Amino acid sequence: MTHLIEADNLSVRFAVGGGLFRAKREVQAVSDVSLTLNAGETLALVGESGSGKTSFARALLGLSPISSGTVRFEGRDLAAMSAQDRQTMRRSVQAVFQDPFGSLDPRLPISAIIGEPLRIHGIGTARERDARVAELLELVGLPATAKSRYPHQFSGGQRQRIAIARALAPKPRVIVADEPLSALDVSIQSQILNLFVELRERTGIAFFLISHDLAAVHHLADRVAALYLGRVVESAPRDALYSHPAHPYTRALLDSVPRIGMGKRVPGHALGGEIPSPLAPPPGCHFHPRCRFATERCKAEVPTLRPIATDHLTACHHPLLEAA
């Protein structure tokens, strides 16, 4: 089966610093990550800030250069695509960004913002584009009269709905959503999350969701991959990962989620320590300085991502359990 999007040993490196008396240093933002996304599926990439999630997403979108490895869309290598094929790919893969205030041009009315992808890709006549804008506003729960207003006249949640409408305009097959809830109030987050669920059911669109919100991921994702300092440490179907996390980092992320129990809200357990600098990652398993199960082997040897059950992979020398 041909995957909709496939990343194979994808690495992203950046040169930082440098000056008159200082040499540039290299940051390994993403290291040999291999993930696939199928039609109609939601794949979530989770991890702390600084784990490389956004760098990976930008590489998928062609917004950041790929240092090594490949990204394929419907089996075709992104790097080998012609300009026309890239344009087709960009129509099929749209993005929703984290900041609903910064992602919309304040100088344009909503009709122009949502209609811009249609204009760029030469979709429809002016009248057809106008009708599509009205249809999209209704789809995301905004009145058609909103098209004549400007971004500053809307709340954060409404702006994110506008950004989603813009992403849906050219009828893409995939939406890459980079922390689409984090800048919103909790009550608005649930509305946007429910909107994503409804859109997937109505349109069959696939989502690549980047988030640190494990509760939101559980609500939406089919599969989940945990990223730590640029490496995938665990990947599994959602229910398997949430019920039987095999990597200590994944377990720590899940333990940090607040829970409801015994008639009151039970706080989660924060993961101890700080994520190391990607400029100087620890040797061996990057997580070993924060892992209470670490051994001398963990400090010296990089664990490989290996299967422990059907579709359940982990990069750990001492998995918490062998999932059944």
Side-chain angles (χ1 to χ4, degrees):
M1 179 183 67
T2 300
H3 300 291
L4 194 56
I5 294 180
E6 183 176 8
D8 187 17
N9 294 321
L10 179 67
S11 294
V12 178
R13 294 182 288 273
F14 299 107
V16 297
L20 186 60
F21 300 107
R22 292 183 301 172
K24 286 187 176 181
R25 304 174 68 186
E26 187 175 76
V27 173
Q28 182 86 14
V30 180
S31 180
D32 295 322
V33 171
S34 297
L35 291 172
T36 60
L37 177 68
N38 299 315
E41 178 183 50
T42 297
L43 170 65
L45 192 60
V46 302
E48 298 169 285
S49 296
S51 60
K53 305 185 302 297
T54 294
S55 295
F56 181 78
R58 290 180 63 85
L60 284 187
L61 291 164
L63 299 177
S64 291
I66 298 170
S67 302
S68 62
T70 57
V71 174
R72 288 184 286 272
F73 176 71
E74 295 184 323
R76 294 173 295 168
D77 188 346
L78 183 63
M81 284 184 181
S82 65
Q84 184 175 358
D85 287 342
R86 273 182 181 267
Q87 186 79 343
T88 301
M89 186 277 293
R90 286 173 177 151
R91 174 177 172 175
S92 298
V93 183
Q94 293 288 307
V96 175
F97 298 102
Q98 178 177 356
D99 181 10
F101 298 92
S103 64
L104 304 180
D105 190 332
R107 301 167 299 177
L108 296 179
I110 301 309
S111 58
I113 290 173
I114 297 176
E116 188 172 26
L118 302 174
R119 179 182 58 79
I120 289 173
H121 293 288
I123 301 172
T125 63
R127 178 174 294 181
E128 289 169 340
R129 290 196 290 268
D130 190 58
R132 176 68 174 156
V133 168
E135 175 190 343
L136 288 164
L137 285 170
E138 181 181 355
L139 184 64
V140 299
L142 292 173
T145 53
K147 66 181 182 179
S148 61
R149 295 158 64 187
Y150 287 81
H152 72 271
Q153 296 176 283
F154 295 90
S155 67
Q158 289 172 324
R159 291 188 199 194
Q160 197 65 299
R161 288 174 182 267
I162 292 165
I164 294 167
R166 177 178 59 186
L168 290 169
K171 297 184 178 179
R173 300 191 64 190
V174 183
I175 286 183
V176 178
D178 185 3
E179 296 280 10
L181 309 177
S182 62
L184 306 176
D185 293 337
V186 174
S187 60
I188 305 301
Q189 287 180 7
S190 62
Q191 295 176 20
I192 298 299
L193 191 62
N194 290 333
L195 176 60
F196 278 147
V197 172
E198 182 183 352
L199 289 173
R200 190 176 66 168
E201 292 174 351
R202 291 179 61 175
T203 66
I205 198 167
F207 283 92
F208 183 82
L209 176 66
I210 295 170
S211 181
H212 64 271
D213 186 340
L214 275 294
V217 166
H218 185 268
H219 191 61
L220 185 62
D222 298 304
R223 291 189 295 123
V224 182
L227 201 67
Y228 188 78
L229 270 186
R231 296 175 180 171
V232 172
V233 297
E234 187 164 5
S235 175
R238 178 199 61 198
D239 292 342
L241 185 134
Y242 275 73
S243 59
H244 301 295
H247 197 283
Y249 179 59
T250 313
R251 170 65 63 83
L253 290 177
L254 292 171
D255 285 347
S256 68
V257 178
R259 300 177 301 280
I260 304 298
M262 304 298 292
K264 61 181 180 180
R265 189 172 185 264
V266 181
H269 303 284
L271 176 61
E274 297 290 335
I275 189 167
S277 168
L279 284 169
C285 174
H286 287 346
F287 187 61
H288 84 256
R290 306 171 72 187
C291 180
R292 62 191 179 95
F293 303 104
T295 63
E296 291 303 314
R297 181 187 180 190
C298 303
K299 299 175 183 178
E301 183 182 336
V302 178
T304 58
L305 197 63
R306 64 182 180 89
I308 59 171
T310 303
D311 297 328
H312 195 157
L313 310 175
T314 189
C316 184
H317 294 308
H318 311 291
L320 298 180
L321 51 88
E322 297 292 333

